[in-house]
Amino acid sequence: MSSPSSRSRTLNPARWPFGVQILLGLVVGIVAGFIARTTDSAWLTSTLTQVGGIFVQLLKLAVPPLVFTAVLVSVAGLRHVTNAARLAGRTLLWFLGTALIAVAVGIVLGLVTNPGRGVDLTLVGAKAPESKGGWTDFLTGIIPTNVVGAFTNGNVLQLVFLGAVLGVAALKLGERAKP
């Protein structure tokens, strides 16, 4: 027979594996969403909307530092790579391959589901933008004018650029950049 202390450990959700906690949260969320949709409980709908909004805000908060540090550490870690050009080529091929798969999936889903069917949009009074911008505008947009602004606006391309530049700087500093 198990002791009371071992039973309390198994009932403590903090000790469950992370994957089990995620699946449990997913099931609870689906059940709560189903209840909010089928019943007319405004308080549950409002609560779920607020919790969902807070969750999305937390994700937006986490993305800029994660992207920046991942790029910075990856570039700075190239010190131990003997053939960086081959690594860059493989990375580019993987990127192109995954982008091709994502575009193909998007096109197939669009053709199968036919989004927007039945929507009638009139273009009366619609006007095309005067200037789309060119490659030079794109390239100058990658370089941030303000480091803090790149983080606060969540501009991922600018964060990747900053991470790459600081990673190259750390590479050039060599051992002095280690601390």
Side-chain angles (χ1 to χ4, degrees):
M1 187 150 193
S2 61
S3 67
S5 64
S6 67
R7 274 186 297 211
S8 66
R9 267 187 259 140
T10 58
L11 296 177
N12 183 2
R15 302 239 181 211
W16 295 351
F18 186 63
V20 172
Q21 292 179 28
I22 294 292
L23 288 175
L24 180 65
L26 180 67
V27 169
V28 169
I30 289 171
V31 168
F34 181 74
I35 291 170
R37 184 174 288 225
T38 56
T39 64
D40 203 16
S41 57
W43 69 270
L44 182 58
T45 303
S46 172
T47 302
L48 291 176
T49 302
Q50 287 179 343
V51 169
I54 290 170
F55 181 71
V56 170
Q57 283 180 319
L58 288 171
L59 287 177
K60 287 180 180 179
L61 174 72
V63 166
L66 286 176
V67 168
F68 175 74
T69 54
V71 171
L72 175 67
V73 169
S74 297
V75 172
L78 289 177
R79 179 178 298 123
H80 303 293
V81 175
T82 56
N83 194 350
R86 191 171 76 190
L87 176 66
R90 282 185 179 173
T91 303
L92 186 60
L93 282 175
W94 272 104
F95 175 74
L96 290 174
T98 55
L100 179 66
I101 291 169
V103 168
V105 167
I107 289 173
V108 168
L109 284 175
L111 291 173
V112 169
T113 61
N114 197 9
R117 179 182 45 216
V119 175
D120 185 28
L121 297 175
T122 59
L123 300 177
V124 176
K127 194 173 164 185
E130 292 181 22
S131 173
K132 292 181 182 179
W135 279 101
T136 54
D137 294 330
F138 171 73
L139 293 175
T140 55
I142 291 175
I143 302 170
T145 57
N146 182 351
V147 175
V148 176
F151 280 92
T152 57
N153 296 335
N155 191 327
V156 176
L157 284 176
Q158 291 181 354
L159 293 173
V160 168
F161 176 80
L162 284 173
V165 167
L166 287 176
V168 169
L171 273 175
K172 294 295 181 184
L173 282 174
E175 288 300 315
R176 292 179 294 172
K178 218 170 192 179

